[in-house]
Amino acid sequence: MSFRGPKGTDDILPPESRRWRELLRSWDLLSEQYGYAYVATPLFESTDLFARGVGEATEVVEKQMYSFEDKAGRNLTLRPEITAGVLRAYIQAGLSGEFKGSYSGPCFRYERPQEGRRRQFWQLGVEYLGANHSEADLEVIELGYRYLLDCGLGEVVVHVNSIGDASDREAYHSRLADWLNERRHLLSDQAQRRIRSNPLRVLDSKADQEVVSEAPKPVDYLGKDGLEHYEQLLAGLTERGIAYRQAPRLVRGLDYYTRTVFEYIPPGYTAAQNAVGGGGRYDGLSRLLDGPELPGVGLALGLDRIISAAGSSPPARALDVFLVVADQNRRSLAHAFARRLRSAGVRCDLVAGYRSVRAQFKAADRRDAAAAVVIGDEWDDGMVTIKDLSSGYEQVIPAGEVAMWVVDGGAVPR
């Protein structure tokens, strides 16, 4: 019997895993530059947290959650998204006022596996709590937009809409429900069921796009405050040079959104879900989770989708240098030298046990090292031979300058 990973999951191995780590480090750095501190929440939470926060009428809660009962009879669910968990943690900790948190980690949804839809997927995101001004929305959108451009996705376009707040949606829901009921016979069975529970969700139904393409638009029912917020948002996107397109029927897939909703669409990405991420404002979510009145806005990006949309690109070398020990009597010196280089921040390795010089150079190639450092007779004079494994160029330099050689990118003549 041979074991295989569960359907809809992926093993991330080198060299692909190096690309993942590069993008995760870039995310941490960029979100910190915008003032977002790292947040970690459990992989599983109370099932009620998602049923109440995400929405019982959503496809996520109805069909896609991995839920189970633990040994104490508690109903738990592997997190299908992270926003609700961050809000729960904020409320539980008794925090107040503005809060900016970033996160990354796996989420789980029982989907039909295909490109862009995995049962375990990696999500990056930020949550900006306590700020109700459109500038908070703009900051969140800009952060995600800048990150995607840095990932090499080309001319990403932000699709944006406003679905209004609770007072705006009351009139819109009534009008939309009437409009949908008039065309009930043309809708899918699922859409027909949702007309009563949440007609807004019908706009998000992929099976009913032809029917709903002429449906009333949420932006036409915005009140004064909601319309002003939306106009400020659009003006800010233009001012910041963010490419956007108004998407009047974009509602996203979760019930907690209010006012701003958005998605990032890269050019030429044709997976089952062509957005690589999105988000929006959720001013009522805290109250749904028995917390205080608390405005909030956030985004979530799918790392799996970002890598797929960006296409193949060579990851950085796995190692800066690989030590080749020409004289086996110097192995203990080589290990001490490796420790010095690692302490200086150099990614360094060498083989374990005796190998010929030729075998050690082959190992350096297999380990995808940028350069080989040969420790031989010149060591007695404080020197080593360093060889760039891409160009073949080699030179003798002081052993104490290897770390600087790496920092300088290699002293290879052009």
Side-chain angles (χ1 to χ4, degrees):
M1 175 182 178
S2 61
F3 291 98
R4 300 181 64 84
K7 186 176 182 180
T9 67
D10 301 289
D11 297 312
I12 312 300
L13 302 173
E16 183 185 3
S17 60
R18 295 207 298 277
R19 177 66 171 152
W20 278 63
R21 294 187 72 178
E22 287 173 10
L23 295 183
L24 286 169
R25 282 193 288 263
S26 295
W27 173 253
D28 288 341
L29 178 61
L30 184 61
S31 58
E32 285 177 3
Q33 289 173 350
Y34 276 74
Y36 292 83
Y38 180 69
V39 174
T41 60
L43 291 181
F44 56 90
E45 300 264 8
S46 165
T47 299
D48 287 342
L49 176 73
F50 301 113
R52 190 186 301 185
V54 174
E56 293 186 358
T58 61
E59 188 171 347
V60 171
V61 173
E62 287 181 343
K63 298 181 179 181
Q64 297 176 349
M65 294 205 309
Y66 281 93
S67 299
F68 59 96
E69 187 176 283
D70 71 2
K71 294 181 179 181
R74 291 175 289 248
N75 291 316
L76 302 172
T77 293
L78 296 179
R79 63 186 186 192
E81 58 94 55
I82 301 179
T83 298
V86 173
L87 261 292
R88 190 270 310 149
Y90 177 96
I91 296 167
Q92 181 177 330
L95 302 179
S96 61
E98 289 196 4
F99 175 88
K100 298 171 72 171
S102 71
Y103 57 80
S104 63
C107 295
F108 308 86
R109 296 185 188 181
Y110 191 81
E111 305 238 35
R112 183 168 66 86
Q114 53 191 302
E115 184 180 359
R117 291 186 183 276
R118 312 300 290 162
R119 291 178 175 175
Q120 177 177 306
F121 55 97
W122 203 273
Q123 194 171 92
L124 316 175
V126 296
E127 311 297 346
Y128 191 163
L129 307 179
N132 58 14
H133 197 277
S134 62
E135 289 181 1
D137 307 44
L138 282 166
E139 178 181 286
V140 167
I141 293 174
E142 179 186 53
L143 192 164
Y145 184 76
R146 179 178 164 188
Y147 176 73
L148 293 173
L149 294 186
D150 290 346
C151 290
L153 263 64
E155 298 301 318
V156 175
V157 177
V158 179
H159 287 206
V160 63
N161 191 25
S162 177
I163 58 175
D165 53 30
S167 58
D168 298 334
R169 287 206 303 272
E170 186 175 350
Y172 175 66
H173 277 203
S174 177
R175 176 69 187 99
L176 178 60
D178 290 343
W179 190 93
L180 292 171
N181 274 317
E182 291 171 3
R183 295 156 181 80
R184 190 181 189 91
H185 61 288
L186 301 175
L187 298 172
S188 65
D189 291 343
Q190 184 180 63
Q192 291 179 30
R193 292 194 301 271
R194 284 179 171 168
I195 293 175
R196 171 177 289 185
S197 61
N198 190 348
L200 198 66
R201 298 291 301 114
V202 180
L203 299 182
D204 198 44
S205 170
K206 297 294 186 289
D208 300 282
Q209 286 304 296
E210 186 174 347
V211 179
V212 302
S213 62
E214 300 299 323
K217 305 172 185 178
V219 292
D220 292 336
Y221 290 79
L222 297 180
K224 179 182 176 182
D225 291 344
L227 182 59
E228 181 180 2
H229 187 101
Y230 187 50
E231 290 175 342
Q232 289 174 347
L233 175 69
L234 298 181
L237 292 172
T238 300
E239 181 182 313
R240 298 180 187 214
I242 297 173
Y244 75 89
R245 179 180 303 160
Q246 293 189 66
R249 292 175 184 84
L250 174 65
V251 297
R252 300 283 290 158
L254 309 176
D255 279 357
Y256 52 58
Y257 287 118
T258 58
R259 293 194 177 181
T260 304
V261 289
F262 61 90
E263 290 183 339
Y264 300 101
I265 310 294
Y269 186 50
T270 57
Q273 169 55 262
N274 65 343
V276 294
R281 180 161 285 280
Y282 46 83
D283 293 345
L285 179 56
S286 179
R287 293 296 296 161
L288 286 174
L289 303 181
D290 298 328
E293 291 287 349
L294 182 73
V297 59
L299 69 84
L301 302 169
L303 184 58
D304 324 57
R305 292 181 184 176
I306 291 171
I307 291 174
S308 176
S312 59
S313 60
R317 292 279 193 170
L319 294 171
D320 297 313
V321 296
F322 194 93
L323 302 188
V324 174
V325 186
D327 181 353
Q328 295 303 312
N329 292 324
R330 292 187 168 94
R331 287 201 61 78
S332 61
L333 292 173
H335 280 286
F337 187 46
R339 290 193 293 273
R340 283 166 49 195
L341 291 175
R342 289 163 178 163
S343 296
V346 175
R347 297 171 301 162
C348 170
D349 205 358
L350 69 166
V351 298
Y354 172 78
R355 302 271 188 90
S356 69
V357 169
R358 183 180 180 183
Q360 291 178 73
F361 268 101
K362 287 184 176 180
D365 284 329
R366 286 197 303 271
R367 294 296 311 280
D368 196 24
V373 174
V374 181
I375 299 177
D377 292 339
E378 60 268 35
W379 180 269
D380 292 338
D381 297 321
M383 309 294 283
V384 294
T385 299
I386 190 162
K387 180 177 181 179
D388 185 291
L389 294 177
S390 295
S391 67
Y393 174 80
E394 62 180 58
Q395 62 187 131
V396 177
I397 66 173
E401 295 181 7
V402 171
M404 185 58 67
W405 188 93
V406 170
V407 171
D408 290 341
V412 180
R414 300 294 182 229

